[in-house]
Amino acid sequence: MTLLEEVLLNHSEGTIAILDSEIPNGNYIPLDLSVFNRDLNPLDISNPSVCQAYIDKVLKNDSFSIAFGGYLERRNLYSKSPGFAVKGEEERNIHLGIDFWAKAGTRVIAPLGGVVHSFKNNAVSGDYGPTIILRHDLDGIQFYTLYGHLSIESLQGLYKNKEFRAGEALATLGDTPVNVNYAPHLHFQIIQDLGSFAGDYPGVCAQKDLQGYQKNCPDPNLLLKITPPYIG
């Protein structure tokens, strides 16, 4: 376990809210969008309407409000998006964060205190759409959290180094046209070294690059503790 992973794991003992704090923790249900989920075989999961219908079915069957999951999940979700399957290159299909699938307009809550590092509307189809990156300093360790697929309104009034306290409303989720062709959800990712990126960072990688990205992007569940085990 890296030092950052230890810091994240030891930050709290209980679950940390990342969506509307009025939604009980018990209303979250794990969602499997991996290539190994046989229920997805007949479905074009890259179609946002088809994806949403499947998510709605999972939520309705079990009476939950939010579906979540996806860290290091190998998916077919990106198969029709430009940039994920470039000719002559290995396909990027391994997800590096946790997705929280919920209704557009759902509030996003800052899980940690931090300041705005950068923000951007990544408006290319298949990308994040409106995105915010916060910088954090926790127990002497600096790292970043990325929030993708937000509403356009979420970027209004932001500026570099604007402070957000833990538990404060940070943004709201965007709808499918705004989040560039996905069913509404939050992409949440922890990044140790952001490099030269601003308002953006890869959220999906190829198998050949997984070792480096996995080291740089630890499991968000270490911090959020939505469900055990907390070590991915």
Side-chain angles (χ1 to χ4, degrees), residues 59-80:
L59 293 174
K60 183 178 180 180
N61 285 351
D62 295 287
S63 300
F64 287 87
S65 303
I66 297 170
F68 73 95
Y71 180 65
L72 301 188
E73 194 170 71
R74 190 182 304 274
R75 296 171 165 179
N76 288 325
L77 185 62
Y78 318 106
S79 59
K80 294 185 179 179

Side-chain angles (χ1 to χ4, degrees), residues 29-35 67-75 77-78 93-101 185-189 203-205 210 217-221 226-227 232:
I29 183 172
L31 179 70
D32 180 3
L33 293 181
S34 76
V35 297
F68 73 95
Y71 180 65
L72 301 188
E73 194 170 71
R74 190 182 304 274
R75 296 171 165 179
L77 185 62
Y78 318 106
N93 61 3
I94 301 175
H95 191 251
L96 298 171
I98 291 182
D99 284 335
F100 296 85
W101 305 84
H185 71 289
L186 169 70
H187 173 93
F188 176 66
Q189 187 169 336
V204 180
C205 76
L210 177 57
C217 301
D219 186 351
N221 196 47
I226 310 162
T227 182

Side-chain angles (χ1 to χ4, degrees), residues 35-232:
V35 297
F36 306 107
N37 183 352
R38 294 181 179 180
D39 290 343
L40 300 180
N41 288 346
L43 304 178
D44 179 9
I45 203 67
S46 65
N47 182 311
S49 297
V50 174
C51 184
Q52 185 65 67
Y54 178 75
I55 294 167
D56 288 344
K57 180 181 178 182
V58 171
L59 293 174
K60 183 178 180 180
N61 285 351
D62 295 287
S63 300
F64 287 87
S65 303
I66 297 170
F68 73 95
Y71 180 65
L72 301 188
E73 194 170 71
R74 190 182 304 274
R75 296 171 165 179
N76 288 325
L77 185 62
Y78 318 106
S79 59
K80 294 185 179 179
S81 296
F84 288 89
V86 179
K87 187 176 181 179
E89 297 183 7
E90 184 178 345
E91 181 182 3
R92 294 193 300 121
N93 61 3
I94 301 175
H95 191 251
L96 298 171
I98 291 182
D99 284 335
F100 296 85
W101 305 84
K103 294 180 180 179
T106 300
R107 290 188 301 168
V108 178
I109 306 299
L112 291 169
V115 299
V116 173
H117 170 273
S118 51
F119 53 94
K120 180 182 177 183
N121 186 5
N122 298 287
V124 178
S125 181
D127 210 317
Y128 289 126
T131 308
I132 299 173
I133 296 178
L134 299 183
R135 185 180 74 248
H136 308 275
D137 290 282
L138 192 60
D139 295 342
I141 303 295
Q142 181 172 282
F143 61 96
Y144 306 85
T145 53
L146 182 149
Y147 309 80
H149 306 293
L150 308 176
S151 66
I152 289 290
E153 292 77 15
S154 299
L155 304 185
Q156 296 175 359
L158 291 185
Y159 53 88
K160 188 174 182 178
N161 292 325
K162 180 176 181 177
E163 184 175 0
F164 284 92
R165 299 183 302 274
E168 186 175 358
L170 173 68
T172 55
L173 298 186
D175 58 17
T176 296
V178 171
N179 76 29
V180 284
N181 212 38
Y182 292 105
H185 71 289
L186 169 70
H187 173 93
F188 176 66
Q189 187 169 336
I190 298 175
I191 305 161
Q192 182 166 5
D193 182 3
L194 196 61
S196 60
F197 283 94
D200 193 14
Y201 187 84
V204 180
C205 76
Q207 177 63 46
K208 66 181 179 63
D209 301 317
L210 177 57
Q211 183 175 359
Y213 276 114
Q214 184 175 355
K215 183 177 180 180
N216 197 44
C217 301
D219 186 351
N221 196 47
L222 290 168
L223 171 68
L224 301 180
K225 299 178 177 62
I226 310 162
T227 182
Y230 303 134
I231 302 176

Side-chain angles (χ1 to χ4, degrees), residues 11-23:
H11 177 66
S12 71
E13 295 183 357
T15 301
I16 296 178
I18 188 112
L19 291 184
D20 194 331
S21 56
E22 295 182 3
I23 301 175

